[in-house]
Amino acid sequence: MVRTKDPAVRTLLVERAAHLLRAREPVTLRSLVAGTGVSTMAVYTHFGGMDGVWRALRQEGFTRLAARFAAVTATDDPVRDLTALCAAYLGNALDHPDLYRVMFDADFDLEDLQAADDTLEHLVRAVRRGCAAGRFRAGTVPLDLATQSWVVGHGLVSLVGTGPLPREALAHGPVLLSALFTGAGDDPDRCRGSVALGWEGLG
């Protein structure tokens, strides 16, 4: 008899796994279903086993990041928008530190291998708009500047969200991004204003 897959059960188990990570508890077959009202068989039905759970957790991290990026409204200031995307990246990671750690665990494939590239593409598009608007110098490679922006965000999250620095260290973000963007050709005064506006989204 083929078991039907209830999406609600799948979501329940993903959330349960995220909770275990957040509580620093081991994620095992038995701990995953404990208190959920479902059997261990549900893990195999929905994920094919524990490796599938980890793949689903990685995917959920990128799904939430994509949703956060999609919520960033484009304006007529591409540098502001690029900064807002970096702030959204940080906000998502700080809100979901458990999933954030799993997102970059290359021991397990993503369910949708395009997901990571798709999230980076949000930043690439903002850089392209900055080039078209003359904010970045001719010859700027959009993928390179987008990746460098991502590195700034990733470094801050690693040190603040899951590392030794206090949340106040996030104040270094605008300084780092302004230096990066002016290095790519943006006017320093205009850049600082745009970055300050984009960073407001971090709250």
Side-chain angles (χ1 to χ4, degrees):
M1 177 180 176
V2 177
R3 295 178 180 268
T4 59
K5 294 183 179 182
D6 181 351
V9 172
R10 187 182 194 280
T11 300
L12 172 68
L13 292 172
V14 168
E15 292 293 342
R16 170 67 178 164
H19 168 76
L20 291 170
L21 287 173
R22 192 159 50 246
R24 301 292 192 274
E25 297 179 14
V27 183
T28 66
L29 189 61
R30 291 190 180 280
S31 68
L32 188 58
V33 301
T36 64
V38 300
S39 69
T40 55
M41 183 55 67
V43 177
Y44 292 96
T45 300
H46 291 274
F47 305 103
M50 289 303 298
D51 282 0
V53 172
W54 289 108
R55 283 194 294 271
L57 281 170
R58 285 195 72 196
Q59 193 70 50
E60 183 65 18
F62 281 102
T63 297
R64 294 187 186 190
L65 177 58
R68 187 70 71 100
F69 278 171
V72 175
T73 303
T75 69
D76 59 359
D77 184 342
V79 176
R80 176 267 175 201
D81 296 348
L82 180 56
T83 303
L85 289 167
C86 292
Y89 177 84
L90 279 162
N92 183 72
L94 294 171
D95 288 348
H96 308 291
D98 42 348
L99 290 176
Y100 175 78
R101 286 189 291 271
V102 179
M103 284 170 66
F104 302 101
D105 183 351
D107 289 339
F108 299 94
D109 291 333
L110 287 168
E111 294 174 326
D112 175 7
L113 295 177
Q114 189 65 31
D117 290 342
D118 287 346
T119 50
L120 179 58
E121 184 61 25
H122 284 273
L123 280 73
V124 173
R125 286 197 295 268
V127 175
R128 288 198 189 107
R129 289 176 50 227
C131 292
R135 299 291 296 270
F136 303 130
R137 71 171 60 90
T140 296
V141 179
L143 178 59
D144 288 349
L145 187 54
T147 301
Q148 290 158 9
S149 303
W150 189 300
V151 167
V152 169
H154 190 78
L156 281 171
V157 169
S158 298
L159 291 170
V160 175
T162 60
L165 295 184
R167 191 179 177 91
E168 288 76 17
L170 294 176
H172 295 302
V175 178
L176 294 168
L177 291 175
S178 294
L180 178 62
F181 300 154
T182 55
D186 199 16
D187 174 78
D189 290 335
R190 190 178 184 187
C191 182
R192 282 191 291 271
S194 295
V195 169
L197 288 173
W199 199 254
E200 289 177 354
L202 186 58

